[in-house]
Amino acid sequence: MEEETKALGNDLSLLGSYLAKDKKSSNSRKKKKNKKLEQATTTTRERVDERGEGGEGTQKKKKEKDWRSDKAERNAQKKAREKTSSNRKKKRKEFFSDYVKLSEVEDGLSENLFVKGHIRINPRRREDAYVTVTGLDVDIIVKGDAQNRAFEGDEVAIQIRPLSEWDFLEEEEEKKSREESLEESLERLNLSAKSAIAENAGEGKRKSKWTLEVLNEIGREMKRRPSGEVVHIIKPSHLREHVVCKLVNAGNVPSDPYKAVLEPIDEKLPRLLLDKKFAANLGLLEKAKDRFILVKQTRWMATSGRPYCKVLDILGKMSDMESQVSAVLMQQGIDKHTKDFSEEVLDCLPSTPWSISDEEVVRRRDLRDCRIFSIDPETARDLDDALSVEPLGGGKVRVGVHIADVSHFVRAATSLDEEAAERATSVYMVDGVLPMLPRLLCEELCSLNPGTDRLSFSIIWEIVEETCEIQSQWIGKSIIRSCAKLHYGQAQEIIEGKPLTSSPHLHAYTLDDVVGDVKLLDKLAKKLRALRFESGALTLNIPRFRIILGKDNKTPIGAEQYVQKDSNYLVEEFMLLANRKVAEFISEKAPAAAVLRRHPPPHKRKIESLMKNIDEMKMNISMETHSSGAIHRSLEKIKREAEPHIHNAIVLMTTKPMQNAIYFCTGASDYIEKPDVWGHYALAFERYTHFTSPIRRYADVMVHRLVSDILARENSKGKVETFESTGTRRSPWGRKFTERVVDQCVQCNRQKLAAKSVQEASNKLYLALWLSKQSYQTEGVITDLNGPKWMGIFVMEFGME
């Protein structure tokens, strides 16, 4: 131990010397530069003097020089020019560092020399980027050239830089560091952290000591954010494939098209230059002055300050609404949703008229005599869920959740399946929906339309009415016949005991029957909701707005708040229950193949920053953040005590430290032996998945197939002719299948985020179009300030920042 301490002391001494010399070396470089400049000036002055003196005699003497001497001088000048040219080329190479080889990256990750994660560019300040690393309390900051040609969303390998280049997390800590010595700062650290700082202080190759534990220790004790540099692009972002741009200075297009600069509409992406390798770029710029340009990033050398691209297409005029929507779709990479389904895909659909075969009826539980109905938005046409409830006596009820059996029509390894897997989700916009599946399926054959026999996947519970305790559960394939389609407004009127402004069209049952069922389901849903929040759930709902369109379904004529009510919560609670119970089922029966949805806890550092921001509001508002339940209770207290606009602004601020929920496969290497990270933070569920919306989400289709395969394996004692997950006799429990599921989860996550971005952009575009035609005054709450550059304002009426 004494030897280790002595060695550490030597390392720290070297560290102190390194930091102390930092300023000296900077001054030394300046002196050397000035000396070179002085020498160059002297040499130039001497040459001028030589040319100015001597007259004709001198000129004659020069001509009489030995020709060998003259040739030697010319050779020397040539070498000098070549050296200068070489230096210039070398200087151009200094834009960025060369990437480390992939084999070295793999070794470096295992030896803690590198960490990896997906890079996020700050759209308000592109010089700053951040990388979230699993297990690290704070994001790593990557500044300027250290981003090393990375694009938004790239999976990158990061090398941690020396402590002297780290950021301070707080201004107070930066001031404090100037007042105390390095030794005093290091005293707060443990032995491992001190050793890591010392060994990584000098220039050159790092010594593999930046473990996550050490980085977290330094971050906590010294309030520092690690700084890093990109050393390798592990997996390029899909955003490189489709970049929507506009010409910079379009009114003055250069004669040489390769000097034109293209600016992406996504502020997180860098400006681009045309790639000379693609001659098709020529002649396109003149007609693109007022239009969007779709390009693909092709290459980015270390010698270039900007990436190069090739033009894929010249899009519509930037002033057109349709062109703006199309540009957003293409930028997010989901423009394929706008194209018609191919003949190969349509050939996979059943012929019409279609009906359920007798063989299929035998294989399923027949629930057509049960009173089942759906509750959806008024304009919905893809009805993928329905409910039923039946009093059993003795204080018990039978509740059923019935979901469209999409996997019956979308068979694995078909063209239809491949198309659905690529789209991964439906995209909802102001003026309509871009479906994941052909409309024959999503609006007819799969949709649980009332009065028609439909294939479904059902989960049915016997529940104690008073406590909502589940006493039995059945999951399986079924046939149902919905008796009614209610919209949320009608269900809300039933719950509130008001007369219906419009009556649903009923099949086989009376309105009183359905009214009684809705009221009983609402009673159960309220109890389930209360139990969920008692168990630590968190909801971060802020008012949303919806655009009101004119008769042409294109022109916005107004906007109004969309507020969720008890009818929305009724459906939500039973869908959450179904998803949770299916997640428990598949993770228990197939622990290495289940598709689940996890929501990681928020970043600890960002939560601390949230508390600090709320304290700075000086409004006597307290916020507990040690758990999801604590956050929920705090927000509820603020809701009771503060003005609505303050409460909603704080809810918005609370969403920012939260991480995105993601789909994952339990058999993936990152999760196979870590069931403790499978949970959902906001819902406070240990297991959660998506099962209830297979018409619009491909992840749900994967879950349906896995449930079918588990049931088939159990019912046939392991002898299954065809597994739904694979479309063959090959089971879905193998490594190769797991790898495909992992890749599909990545696609589903990417498409879900893209669809959300498109939906938000669509709302903002239509809102802007409406506001451009009239003045409108409303109130806002300032949520963020950054000097003269920008400020964040939360507009409660529209639920947006």
Side-chain angles (χ1 to χ4, degrees), residues 36-292:
K36 286 182 179 179
L37 182 61
E38 185 179 343
Q39 290 173 346
T41 305
T42 303
T43 303
T44 304
R45 189 182 297 116
E46 288 173 353
R47 287 176 179 172
V48 170
D49 291 342
E50 286 176 4
R51 289 174 184 173
E53 295 177 1
E56 294 180 5
T58 305
Q59 296 297 323
K60 288 180 180 179
K61 287 180 181 178
K62 283 186 177 181
K63 290 179 180 179
E64 293 172 359
K65 279 185 177 181
D66 185 84
W67 67 271
R68 291 186 179 87
S69 176
D70 192 34
K71 184 177 180 181
E73 185 177 347
R74 288 198 303 272
N75 288 338
Q77 290 174 353
K78 182 180 178 182
K79 287 182 179 179
R81 286 195 300 270
E82 289 174 351
K83 186 176 181 181
T84 302
S85 175
S86 176
N87 287 339
R88 285 174 182 167
K89 289 180 181 179
K90 188 175 181 181
K91 188 174 183 181
R92 286 201 296 270
K93 290 182 181 179
E94 292 176 359
F95 268 116
F96 301 103
S97 302
D98 291 331
Y99 290 137
V100 173
K101 294 179 180 179
L102 181 58
S103 58
E104 294 180 32
V105 169
E106 293 170 349
D107 293 339
L109 289 171
S110 63
E111 296 171 4
N112 299 318
L113 179 60
F114 308 133
V115 293
K116 69 175 180 178
H118 290 86
I119 195 165
R120 307 187 315 276
I121 310 296
N122 183 350
R124 295 179 177 132
R125 181 179 167 83
R126 283 209 72 262
E127 294 82 1
D128 292 344
Y130 298 90
V131 176
T132 300
V133 177
T134 303
L136 198 58
D137 292 342
V138 296
D139 291 341
I140 297 169
I141 189 168
V142 187
K143 294 184 176 182
D145 293 345
Q147 294 174 20
N148 201 1
R149 298 166 280 164
F151 258 55
E152 167 75 14
D154 283 349
E155 185 179 18
V156 296
I158 296 288
Q159 184 177 62
I160 304 298
R161 289 188 158 181
L163 179 66
S164 59
E165 299 182 36
W166 291 22
D167 272 14
F168 287 93
L169 292 169
E170 298 174 3
E171 291 182 8
E172 293 83 356
E173 286 297 323
E174 186 173 5
K175 181 179 178 182
K176 182 178 177 181
S177 74
R178 289 195 293 265
E179 295 173 352
E180 67 179 3
S181 67
L182 175 65
E183 289 75 14
E184 290 172 328
S185 300
L186 294 173
E187 279 303 314
R188 302 200 297 268
L189 303 179
N190 62 28
L191 188 65
S192 298
K194 291 176 182 177
S195 177
I197 292 172
E199 293 192 10
N200 288 281
E203 297 180 358
K205 190 175 180 180
R206 307 292 176 241
K207 299 183 181 179
S208 314
K209 291 292 183 180
W210 291 124
T211 64
L212 294 180
E213 293 78 9
V214 163
L215 294 174
N216 286 332
E217 166 77 8
I218 299 170
R220 281 192 300 268
E221 297 301 328
M222 301 185 73
K223 304 298 181 186
R224 296 282 195 102
R225 179 191 298 281
S227 176
E229 58 184 307
V230 174
V231 295
H232 192 85
I233 308 295
I234 298 173
K235 189 172 184 180
S237 168
H238 70 288
L239 295 178
R240 294 172 180 260
E241 301 293 317
H242 35 75
V243 185
V244 179
C245 304
K246 57 184 179 181
L247 273 174
V248 175
N249 196 14
N252 186 23
V253 179
S255 57
D256 183 356
Y258 296 113
K259 292 182 180 179
V261 179
L262 305 178
E263 182 172 23
I265 62 172
D266 188 339
E267 295 178 336
K268 296 187 291 294
L269 303 182
R271 290 181 170 186
L272 303 102
L273 301 172
L274 293 178
D275 195 333
K276 290 185 178 181
K277 288 188 174 182
F278 299 93
N281 291 320
L282 295 172
L284 291 173
L285 295 186
E286 276 301 321
K287 60 181 180 179
K289 288 182 178 181
D290 60 347
R291 294 175 178 270
F292 291 113

Side-chain angles (χ1 to χ4, degrees), residues 59 104 142 150 181 208 259 296 347 389 402 419 441 452 517 567 664 725 730 734 792:
Q59 296 297 323
E104 294 180 32
V142 187
S181 67
S208 314
K259 292 182 180 179
K296 175 182 178 180
D347 286 344
V389 62
H402 313 278
E419 180 74 17
L441 292 183
T452 56
D517 289 350
S567 57
F664 74 100
S725 295
R730 187 186 298 275

Side-chain angles (χ1 to χ4, degrees), residues 657-675:
M658 298 296 165
Q659 301 190 63
N660 290 322
I662 60 170
Y663 298 109
F664 74 100
C665 178
T666 54
S669 57
D670 290 341
Y671 302 104
I672 184 66
E673 295 179 355
K674 301 176 183 177

Side-chain angles (χ1 to χ4, degrees), residues 301-332:
M301 302 82 69
T303 55
S304 173
R306 300 190 194 280
Y308 289 92
C309 66
K310 70 173 181 178
V311 176
L312 299 179
D313 198 4
I314 303 298
L315 308 178
K317 291 187 176 181
M318 291 184 281
S319 57
D320 293 343
M321 183 68 173
E322 290 183 3
S323 297
Q324 293 177 29
V325 173
S326 177
V328 172
L329 288 169
M330 290 187 175
Q331 180 57 62
Q332 294 298 330

